Amino acid sequence: MTEKFDEVKEVKVDYTRLRVPLGPVHPALKEPISLTVTVRREEILDVVIRLGHVHRGIEALAETRNLIQTLYLVERICGICSHSHTTGFVQALEEIGEIELSDRSLHLRSLIFELERMQSHLFLIGIMAYEIGFDTLFMFTWYEREKILDLFEEITGNRIHHSMNTLGGVRWDLSPSFVEKVNCSLNKIEKSAKYIQEVFQDKTVEKRLCGVGVLDYDEARELCVVGPTARGSGVKVDIRKAYPYAAYSELKDDFSVVLRNTADAQARTQVRILELFESINLIRAILEKLPDGPIYKESVIKLMKKIPEGEATSLVEAPRGELLYFVRTNGKEGLWRLNVRTPTIPNVLGLKPMLIGSEIADIPVTVASIDPCMACANRITVVDQDKRETIVTDLKNLRNRGKKQ
Amino acid sequence: MKLGNMLRDALRALLHKPVTVRYLTRAGEMVSVPERYRGKIVYDKEACIGCLLCIRTCPSGVITTTEEKKVSFNISRCVFCAQCAEICPTDAIRLGSDFEIVTSEKEDLIVQ
Ligand code: SF4
Ligand code: SF4
């Protein structure tokens, strides 16, 4: 027996190409995403991206509830852009039920939208600072974000899930004293945003971000990336301009689309910082123009009963990009189908061209720079390619399949 | 960033009072919350007429009926959306300012 162990086995390993698994649980990536990276020394040659670790089955769950219950369910798809999700959903319902909204409620919707965009961008700017190892800046940005969350708490009663939207309007009104408070906070935030902008032009920060994760214009167009990720590559897409919703058709002239051409992580961060100023301008314009009037129509129960069978799609510009809602109601207060296309789904595709050719150390920064929200982007479709058919499966079935493997 | 700016910021941070607040400001006194804050549910049993609209709109199945045609709330499932308070025709439900609802007794989380 000993002879066998004495034999020296020659194993041939090709050290020029190594496959490194990253995630789904990895200290550098905040949300579960699995990247299998093929590297030659430090250089990345290929990336395989796999999602699906945090699938929550929200679309299926929505089919078992009535419309009002679903409103609070879709809000919980994302904590950072909860208002975008409810806006997308109620807009589709309002289109099906042909519900007209008052001007004031539309303006209030846009106001919360912009505040949300600011807190989301500050959040990501903080994360970027953290990923490049600049923790002081991370703390500073998040402190500013806290001011917006406090505003949310005062206006709507909750910091994250504001529940501002309801069928036919919004739920909380803005009194003059709130207007004053918002203005006061905006002035402070504007000052700090200028400071943040200055720090991001610092040499050390620039060295860490410039030329990292480049996604050029053509690739961005081809992959249909959305939001600040697309705008950082010079693609001019903004739903607020292209298909104005809420009060944006009246506010068209109060903001501009920020574009950058360098297409790297620095460009995407710059876009977000500059959009902070655009949002501040927008909020000031909204507060100035805020028309009088009621904020909602009638009891939601009555409105829910009135919604007939039908389908609608609605688009909103969430902080991360274009968010699409497809809603099909069954005319009995419920839903046949809800389909949500969150901005991370197209943006995550951009990761591959961004990562190929860069270095391992740049992975966290690049992943963070598209502002991913993995839990929003997990979907299940079973497609049998040989038989060319799609299978509809239930949760129990899926669980059993998972056990077998 | 210039050295002067950095020094100025460092000094300012040293002299600045902390941005955090004490959790308990004084014994038994909680941090204040805004007026519209949505905390633990306060239920006025007398005012309730048993219309059960709240059950129909609650997104997380918090509310159940009781034998005397009133309702009971299981706060451990509540997401504090205040839809029940909004829909109630007699304002029997209100979301109070109590946010310290962690407990080891499940019964403490039932509001009747
Ligand atoms: S606050 Fe929302 S979740 Fe809680 S009981 Fe009321 S409706 Fe249900
Ligand atoms: S909606 Fe109000 S009145 Fe009706 S059952 Fe609920 S608590 Fe009672």
Side-chain angles (χ1 to χ4, degrees):
Chain A
M1 284 303 280
T2 45
E3 285 159 27
K4 214 173 182 182
F5 286 106
D6 289 342
E7 264 176 47
V8 181
K9 221 176 184 178
E10 286 250 334
V11 186
K12 278 238 163 86
V13 182
D14 181 9
Y15 283 107
T16 54
R17 288 169 84 90
L18 281 182
R19 206 183 291 142
V20 186
L22 269 167
V25 183
H26 190 273
L29 311 170
K30 292 294 160 294
E31 278 188 282
I33 174 173
S34 151
L35 303 171
T36 312
V37 194
T38 312
V39 291
R40 187 201 295 130
R41 295 181 206 288
E42 279 291 308
E43 191 195 350
I44 298 171
L45 299 176
D46 194 17
V47 193
V48 179
I49 302 165
R50 277 187 62 207
L51 295 172
H53 307 93
V54 273
H55 183 74
R56 292 171 294 175
I58 285 185
E59 289 177 2
L61 195 57
E63 287 160 23
T64 63
R65 301 175 165 225
N66 70 26
L67 298 177
I68 296 174
Q69 290 170 329
T70 313
L71 177 61
Y72 297 103
L73 179 69
V74 295
E75 184 167 35
R76 276 148 186 87
I77 290 179
C78 184
I80 306 297
C81 41
S82 60
H83 185 73
S84 316
H85 282 272
T86 49
T87 312
F89 183 64
V90 290
Q91 269 180 17
L93 290 185
E94 281 153 7
E95 195 184 321
I96 297 172
E98 288 170 3
I99 303 167
E100 288 277 319
L101 269 79
S102 72
D103 267 356
R104 190 178 176 84
S105 60
L106 287 177
H107 276 81
L108 286 176
R109 250 181 212 177
S110 294
L111 173 82
I112 298 289
F113 230 106
E114 289 312 311
L115 280 174
E116 189 179 78
R117 190 180 316 280
M118 282 171 71
Q119 69 94 0
S120 174
H121 282 355
L122 280 170
F123 174 91
L124 197 264
I125 294 163
I127 298 266
M128 286 305 285
Y130 169 79
E131 293 290 4
I132 60 174
F134 201 163
D135 275 3
T136 323
L137 184 57
F138 160 65
M139 293 288 172
F140 184 80
T141 1
W142 279 41
Y143 174 51
E144 293 311 315
R145 176 175 176 255
E146 209 59 24
K147 286 179 189 151
I148 303 179
L149 294 186
D150 285 347
L151 275 182
F152 275 140
E153 198 179 21
E154 297 223 8
I155 297 171
T156 69
N158 220 337
R159 285 156 48 92
I160 302 291
H161 292 304
H162 333 300
S163 311
M164 186 68 170
N165 283 321
T166 187
L167 259 182
V170 291
R171 292 173 70 195
W172 325 96
D173 205 354
L174 210 66
S175 66
S177 68
F178 282 136
V179 175
E180 190 107 325
K181 262 184 204 155
V182 175
N183 266 329
C184 181
S185 291
L186 276 189
N187 292 343
K188 280 188 203 155
I189 294 165
E190 190 175 21
K191 221 169 124 197
S192 317
K194 278 188 188 137
Y195 182 75
I196 292 170
Q197 191 186 17
E198 208 177 289
V199 180
F200 264 93
Q201 279 159 0
D202 185 48
K203 277 232 171 58
T204 38
V205 178
E206 270 186 356
K207 273 204 172 135
R208 193 69 187 77
L209 292 178
C210 282
V212 170
V214 179
L215 178 74
D216 59 37
Y217 178 83
D218 295 326
E219 269 168 333
R221 286 293 298 262
E222 200 176 313
L223 291 168
C224 300
V225 293
V226 293
T229 313
R231 294 197 279 274
S233 299
V235 185
K236 195 171 181 184
V237 283
D238 195 323
I239 305 298
R240 293 174 293 171
K241 284 265 190 212
Y243 307 100
Y245 55 95
Y248 288 115
S249 44
E250 284 170 42
L251 300 163
K252 271 206 297 295
D253 310 324
D254 295 306
F255 73 104
S256 50
V257 182
V258 182
L259 290 179
R260 278 287 173 275
N261 291 324
T262 38
D264 51 7
Q266 163 84 354
R268 292 188 279 277
T269 316
Q270 282 291 331
V271 167
R272 290 196 173 90
I273 294 174
L274 291 172
E275 278 186 3
L276 286 179
F277 297 107
E278 296 297 328
S279 289
I280 292 174
N281 288 346
L282 260 173
I283 294 172
R284 288 205 177 117
I286 293 170
L287 290 180
E288 218 168 81
K289 288 181 185 168
L290 201 63
D292 291 327
I295 55 163
Y296 52 81
K297 284 216 106 87
E298 45 187 328
S299 140
V300 274
I301 288 260
K302 277 187 201 151
L303 280 177
M304 182 168 75
K305 277 184 193 154
K306 274 191 213 159
I307 290 181
E309 191 178 340
E311 58 181 49
T313 354
S314 96
L315 274 173
V316 295
E317 177 80 21
R320 291 175 175 78
E322 168 195 309
L323 170 67
L324 180 133
Y325 262 80
F326 170 76
V327 178
R328 185 172 168 81
T329 51
N330 63 6
K332 290 180 218 129
E333 301 178 6
L335 289 165
W336 280 123
R337 181 80 176 104
L338 170 74
N339 194 355
V340 191
R341 187 175 182 266
T342 53
T344 305
I345 297 175
N347 280 353
V348 104
L349 300 177
L351 274 183
K352 194 168 173 171
M354 280 181 204
L355 286 174
I356 290 177
S358 62
E359 292 181 359
I360 300 178
D362 289 336
I363 294 177
V365 184
T366 313
V367 174
S369 75
I370 64 160
D371 200 357
C373 182
M374 296 310 166
C376 308
N378 284 216
R379 298 289 181 281
I380 291 180
T381 319
V382 186
V383 181
D384 194 331
Q385 258 195 333
D386 298 336
K387 292 184 199 154
R388 298 212 162 262
E389 62 184 23
T390 314
I391 307 163
V392 179
T393 170
D394 61 0
L395 203 59
K396 207 170 142 197
N397 212 330
L398 271 180
R399 244 183 236 140
N400 286 342
R401 280 170 70 108
K403 271 182 205 154
K404 265 183 232 151
Q405 277 166 7
Chain B
M1 282 251 122
K2 285 175 211 84
L3 195 66
N5 284 359
M6 266 150 108
L7 267 178
R8 194 192 63 206
D9 284 347
L11 272 179
R12 198 183 283 165
L14 270 178
L15 300 174
H16 205 274
K17 71 176 198 308
V19 292
T20 46
V21 287
R22 285 187 71 84
Y23 186 55
L24 275 166
T25 38
R26 234 174 284 145
E29 200 177 286
M30 263 301 152
V31 221
S32 65
V33 290
E35 203 183 313
R36 289 179 179 174
Y37 185 80
R38 310 200 287 268
K40 189 177 177 180
I41 285 174
V42 183
Y43 173 50
D44 180 0
K45 203 171 173 181
E46 303 301 312
C48 175
I49 51 169
C51 66
L52 307 189
L53 278 179
C54 51
I55 297 188
R56 254 182 80 192
T57 52
C58 174
S60 47
V62 173
I63 316 171
T64 44
T65 44
T66 58
E67 281 162 12
E68 8 158 14
K69 291 247 165 47
K70 305 270 167 169
V71 288
S72 115
F73 301 81
N74 179 4
I75 306 291
S76 57
R77 303 186 62 137
C78 183
V79 296
F80 306 102
C81 62
Q83 181 59 51
C84 52
E86 191 188 300
I87 209 79
C88 179
T90 57
D91 289 337
I93 311 172
R94 192 169 61 79
L95 267 79
S97 58
D98 184 10
F99 57 86
E100 254 238 330
I101 51 176
V102 180
T103 168
S104 54
E105 302 293 327
K106 271 191 181 168
E107 286 72 42
D108 293 350
L109 292 174
I110 309 281
V111 176
Q112 274 187 329

